[in-house]
Amino acid sequence: MATRIVSIALLFSPLILWLVACWWLRRRHGTRRCDSRTLLTKGPGRRDSDDAVRALFVTAHPDDEAMFFAPSILKLARARLWLFCASTGNYYNHGTIRKEELLKSCAVLGISASNVTVIDHRDLPDHPSVEWDTSLLSALILKHIETNHINLVLTFDAGGVSGHANHKSLYTTIRYLHSENKLPEGCRVLTLETVSLFRKYLSILDIPISCLHSRDVLFVLTKEEAETAKRAMWCHRSQLLWFRRLYVCFSRYMVVNSLRFL
């Protein structure tokens, strides 16, 4: 009898997760505001409002912003947003095209073209097995942070979501700047959590799991916001191979971002 009950529970567990996820999305329907008090420590003269947040997304390639960070970008829509992309994504010699696609994607996500910086440096090649130079990257990123008075940096964690060496290099660089106290006073860092391969492709079914797991910040998109995230990804036409189309449909990163502070 006990075995039969367990079998039935396992059979219906995906349905239960789906129902919980749908309930969560309905409960959050139309909620766009992100309270900056959950992101930044209060300080002298700092206003507890979204526009007090000056957030910089540090990514490795054009399409990272849509594939991985769309929930964070859309939920920080009222903040001042910048994007620092460390390469043009020229692995297949499509760098020029991908840069144009990035600007279109950012327009959909609400990041002004004037706030988008794409680095094209021979020592920062788009390659899945190349680790980028920490000294070079830290100098470029720190200058960007100081110039734009950034007080919140968002980037990959040590796993880089996909294990890509370029992604992990960004984490190594930001961690170095943070641990060496080189970031401006009051500037905080959030890293995007790398989850297991199983959870990565659960789409909205991962929402209940994400809610139960420990994290510092959790962003979950409404149905309308999730459609915006997809439109941003469709801007990267040169990258829309069959497996990326499946990614858009099934990846939890298109609807959920769980992040931790350094």
Side-chain angles (χ1 to χ4, degrees), residues 21 24-25 64-72 74 155-157 160-162 191-222 225-226 229-230 243-260:
W24 178 270
L25 287 173
D64 287 349
E65 81 296 335
M67 286 185 68
F68 307 117
F69 291 96
S72 297
L74 291 170
T155 193
F156 297 99
D157 69 359
V161 176
S162 63
T191 58
L192 183 63
E193 180 186 16
T194 297
V195 300
S196 66
L197 188 63
F198 171 71
R199 285 183 60 195
K200 185 176 180 179
Y201 293 105
L202 282 179
S203 187
I204 64 171
L205 296 182
D206 187 63
I207 295 173
I209 301 173
S210 296
C211 292
L212 292 173
H213 277 67
S214 176
R215 80 284 168 188
D216 294 319
V217 177
L218 179 66
F219 293 124
V220 180
L221 297 184
T222 64
E225 291 167 336
K230 288 181 180 179
F243 57 88
R244 286 202 178 88
R245 292 179 182 273
L246 289 176
Y247 177 95
V248 171
C249 294
F250 295 106
S251 175
R252 54 94 71 175
Y253 289 98
M254 295 300 297
V255 289
V256 183
N257 275 178
S258 48
L259 306 102
R260 298 178 186 274

Side-chain angles (χ1 to χ4, degrees), residues 35-194:
D35 191 344
S36 61
R37 286 172 294 182
T38 65
L39 301 179
L40 299 171
T41 302
K42 296 178 183 178
R46 179 171 290 159
R47 295 175 294 157
D48 290 327
S49 60
D50 292 323
D51 58 5
V53 180
R54 301 175 66 87
L56 174 66
F57 288 84
V58 179
T59 61
H61 318 103
D63 76 11
D64 287 349
E65 81 296 335
M67 286 185 68
F68 307 117
F69 291 96
S72 297
I73 294 173
L74 291 170
K75 286 300 183 182
L76 286 170
R78 293 191 180 183
R80 297 285 303 279
L81 303 180
W82 282 261
L83 178 75
F84 178 97
C85 186
S87 80
T88 61
N90 200 40
Y91 187 68
Y92 292 110
N93 298 316
H94 293 157
T96 301
I97 295 173
R98 296 192 67 184
K99 182 177 179 180
E100 294 175 357
E101 292 172 342
L102 173 62
L103 293 175
K104 293 177 182 178
S105 172
C106 285
V108 172
L109 294 171
I111 302 179
S112 170
S114 61
N115 287 1
V116 177
T117 298
V118 183
I119 303 299
D120 186 5
H121 196 291
R122 64 181 183 181
D123 292 332
L124 299 175
D126 170 14
H127 197 287
S129 61
V130 173
E131 295 183 3
W132 288 336
D133 181 71
T134 300
S135 297
L136 172 61
L137 260 182
S138 61
L140 292 170
I141 294 173
L142 185 58
K143 181 180 179 180
H144 205 72
I145 290 172
E146 292 174 339
T147 299
N148 296 293
H149 308 290
I150 300 299
N151 54 23
L152 179 66
V153 177
L154 300 93
T155 193
F156 297 99
D157 69 359
V161 176
S162 63
H164 199 296
N166 295 167
H167 296 182
K168 294 193 285 187
S169 295
L170 295 179
Y171 170 77
T172 300
T173 299
I174 297 298
R175 185 186 62 186
Y176 163 75
L177 291 172
H178 181 267
S179 62
E180 295 296 320
N181 295 316
K182 293 182 179 293
L183 294 175
E185 184 179 357
C187 183
R188 305 193 70 184
V189 177
L190 277 172
T191 58
L192 183 63
E193 180 186 16
T194 297

Side-chain angles (χ1 to χ4, degrees), residues 14-26:
L15 175 61
I16 294 170
L17 280 174
W18 181 79
L19 290 172
V20 172
C22 289
W23 167 81
W24 178 270
L25 287 173
R26 285 199 300 269

